[in-house]
Amino acid sequence: MSHIDMGLGDIDLIEDEDADSILNLEDGDGQEVHSNRNFILLTNRRLIHVTVDGKNRKTTFVSIQDIATVEISNNRMGFGPFIWGTLAFIAAIGIYNVWDHQLGSLVGSLVVAGMGIFIMFEHVTTPRNMKATFTASSTILQFAFTSRQSYQDVSGFVNRLFHLKDSTQ
């Protein structure tokens, strides 16, 4: 039996088990575990998910032979922010034309137009919420990730998982 120190305490590996890959599920480069509180360790036998939240630590172990499917999904917001941004511009024009105050109509319309710009800017620049779902017999493990680079990291991790699964059968 060997131990791997992940900075959060040791993870015990079973006999003839070797660590293969680590996937950092927090923002970052996706490969290194620094003071990470949410990561997946792939060994030649198991998938180990470690989450630390304050003083609570949760570790989930799943045999890679039991993993049947992996789904990577993207939770997009759609066009809603663009619609709200456009409505803010229309409201800003209305405020400017209807409000009978020289300074108030200008400031009010600029504030509402600024809110519309912010809504659209935030939609374009915010990383999408993505989720990977691993289905293993009666267990479903879901991992959220947000970094744009993380999609490539998770996809490569899943490919490596299935390669290990095929090579150990």
Side-chain angles (χ1 to χ4, degrees):
M1 182 181 297
S2 62
H3 301 283
I4 295 180
D5 183 12
M6 304 304 285
L8 304 170
D10 291 341
I11 295 175
D12 292 327
L13 300 180
I14 56 180
E15 190 174 324
D16 296 327
E17 183 177 31
D18 298 312
D20 186 270
S21 304
I22 296 173
L23 182 64
N24 180 351
L25 296 173
E26 293 183 358
D27 286 335
D29 58 13
Q31 298 299 319
E32 294 185 34
V33 177
H34 305 284
S35 62
N36 196 355
R37 303 288 188 213
N38 190 10
F39 65 90
I40 305 171
L41 173 65
L42 177 63
T43 72
N44 60 332
R45 292 187 170 191
R46 296 182 292 176
L47 187 69
I48 304 170
H49 178 226
V50 177
T51 304
V52 177
D53 182 18
K55 294 182 180 181
N56 299 322
R57 176 181 171 158
K58 178 182 174 185
T59 307
T60 307
F61 301 88
V62 176
S63 170
I64 62 174
Q65 295 303 320
D66 293 340
I67 296 175
T69 62
V70 178
E71 174 185 322
I72 301 173
S73 59
N74 182 356
N75 300 329
R76 295 192 61 100
M77 291 176 56
F79 294 108
F82 293 113
I83 294 170
W84 283 109
T86 303
L87 289 174
F89 282 115
I90 293 169
I93 292 169
I95 288 171
Y96 184 77
N97 289 327
V98 173
W99 198 355
D100 192 24
H101 189 273
Q102 190 174 15
L103 183 62
S105 64
L106 179 64
V107 171
S109 62
L110 287 176
V111 167
V112 172
M115 289 173 20
I117 290 170
F118 174 77
I119 289 169
M120 290 188 283
F121 178 77
E122 184 181 39
H123 176 69
V124 170
T125 59
T126 302
R128 305 291 178 246
N129 293 326
M130 302 187 81
K131 176 175 59 172
T133 305
F134 294 75
T135 305
S137 56
S138 63
T139 304
I140 296 176
L141 300 173
Q142 290 186 340
F143 311 110
F145 55 100
T146 57
S147 171
R148 294 177 201 265
Q149 180 61 35
S150 290
Y151 180 81
Q152 286 81 18
D153 295 336
V154 172
S155 181
F157 188 85
V158 169
N159 289 337
R160 182 66 186 147
L161 179 138
F162 283 110
H163 175 76
L164 285 172
K165 180 179 175 177
D166 290 341
S167 66
T168 58
Q169 285 183 347

